[in-house]
Amino acid sequence: DGSFGIRIENTCLVVKTETKFDYTGGAGGYLTFEPVTMVPIQKKLIRSGLLNDDEKKWLDSYHQKVWDKVSPLLEEGGLGYEWLKRETSPI
């Protein structure tokens, strides 16, 4: 116990993207991942002290996307809504 990490998986699409700088000499063709699965990553499984600032920003950004996509589908104030609100709050 305490010797292994938790594997967190998410279904993603590979999509074309634009970047601030072009490192290909005009050839373009940059790709990124777009999450399909809109489920919060369970924060109680994460030792936040082991995350750097960029990793925390990524997690908070992902949770904001989940909130933005899923919360409009839930009844405001309902159990699911309150659960999602809690689970997508910043780390």
Side-chain angles (χ1 to χ4, degrees), residues 7-58:
R7 182 174 172 164
I8 299 172
E9 296 184 5
N10 200 342
T11 302
C12 296
L13 292 174
V14 177
V15 296
K16 291 182 180 181
T17 189
E18 298 293 323
T19 60
K20 184 176 180 180
F21 300 103
D22 182 2
Y23 299 104
T24 66
Y30 290 103
L31 301 173
T32 191
F33 296 109
E34 179 180 292
V36 174
T37 309
M38 289 287 133
V39 177
I41 295 171
Q42 195 169 30
K43 294 181 285 187
K44 71 180 181 181
L45 298 176
I46 299 170
R47 290 171 135 181
S48 60
L50 297 177
L51 300 179
N52 64 36
D53 288 343
D54 286 337
E55 292 165 332
K56 289 176 185 177
K57 286 178 190 172
W58 180 90

Side-chain angles (χ1 to χ4, degrees), residues 63-74:
H63 280 157
Q64 185 64 51
K65 288 177 191 172
V66 172
W67 173 257
D68 292 344
K69 287 249 185 188
V70 178
S71 65
L73 304 174
L74 302 172

